[in-house]
Amino acid sequence: MSYSEIGRAVQDAIRKNGRSTYYMSHTKQAGIEAMEQVVRWSDFYDRFFRRTKGCSIYRNGNRKTAISATSIHYASGRKFQIFASSPKLVRGPADAPHYLFDEFEFHRDAAAVLQAATPVLMMGTAAVTIISTVLHEGGAFWNFCEKIKSGTQPGSLHEISFDQALADGYYERIVRSRMRSPFVQEVW
């Protein structure tokens, strides 16, 4: 799910009337992995634009200067940036961003991060995407989902079961690419 959301966010950031995405994860490693995906998606779109339109999606047409360890800047003036999970960082950007909270249930202070995002959402131009695995009943993500179900919190829920993920190729895309072993496949 994160992979496709990152691809969609990159696609949005490269458009002239798109928006920047601020990604927050629960661990540094998750942020590093997300940045690797952002670079892959960006390179994919850049190859497409170079072939079809003769231009680059990177700021100043220069991939090397557009990419840093925590952000990518696009020719559109938008960016994709990785942040540590912190309520203070949600309120900072002045533009109308897209916040992408990955594995939200595992953020150190998930409820405070969500509370900090509420005023940003009230502007009506920002967006928040929350992706997570439910840890337990009563957790921040669980409570958030229950509020959406009851109608007290605006939003929409999109659930993907583990069986659905396997049927859609999760094993082939993730597990097999990392661990090439017949034994691992049998265990799965």
Side-chain angles (χ1 to χ4, degrees):
M1 181 98 171
S2 301
Y3 181 77
S4 60
E5 274 300 314
I6 288 172
R8 188 200 57 72
V10 169
Q11 190 176 38
D12 193 29
I14 63 177
R15 295 179 327 165
K16 292 282 183 212
N17 59 349
R19 65 176 71 178
S20 295
T21 292
Y22 301 107
Y23 173 95
M24 290 188 174
S25 63
H26 62 299
T27 65
K28 181 179 179 181
Q29 184 60 36
I32 290 169
E33 289 173 9
M35 195 62 189
E36 290 169 355
Q37 292 174 13
V38 173
V39 170
R40 269 186 248 140
W41 278 112
S42 297
D43 286 345
F44 169 79
Y45 288 122
D46 191 59
R47 283 191 304 274
F48 174 79
F49 273 77
R50 284 180 185 274
R51 285 185 193 135
T52 61
K53 301 185 187 252
C55 63
S56 174
I57 65 165
Y58 295 112
R59 181 180 59 193
N60 299 326
N62 188 333
R63 180 185 189 278
K64 195 172 188 172
T65 61
I67 300 175
S68 74
T70 60
S71 66
I72 296 184
H73 294 265
Y74 299 103
S76 65
R78 307 291 185 244
K79 62 186 170 186
F80 190 109
Q81 189 161 3
I82 307 287
F83 284 111
S85 179
S86 167
K88 290 183 219 172
L89 296 174
V90 175
R91 295 197 179 179
D95 59 350
H98 169 229
Y99 287 100
L100 178 54
F101 301 136
D102 197 9
E103 283 299 354
F104 184 69
E105 181 76 26
F106 301 93
H107 286 230
R108 186 175 321 144
D109 198 355
V113 169
L114 188 58
Q115 187 177 14
T118 302
V120 175
L121 287 171
M122 289 180 177
M123 293 187 321
T125 54
V128 173
T129 301
I130 299 174
I131 301 171
S132 193
T133 306
V134 174
L135 183 60
H136 59 83
E137 284 187 36
F141 184 63
W142 174 273
N143 291 337
F144 180 70
C145 291
E146 290 301 308
K147 287 178 183 177
I148 291 173
K149 288 177 187 176
S150 70
T152 59
Q153 171 74 44
S156 62
L157 297 175
H158 308 276
E159 184 177 319
I160 299 171
S161 71
F162 192 68
D163 289 339
Q164 286 172 307
L166 288 174
D168 288 343
Y170 176 79
Y171 174 81
E172 286 78 14
R173 190 171 67 78
I174 302 295
V175 179
R176 188 178 291 160
S177 68
R178 292 187 182 168
M179 300 178 283
R180 299 182 190 275
S181 162
F183 174 74
V184 171
Q185 186 170 359
E186 278 188 39
V187 171
W188 274 80

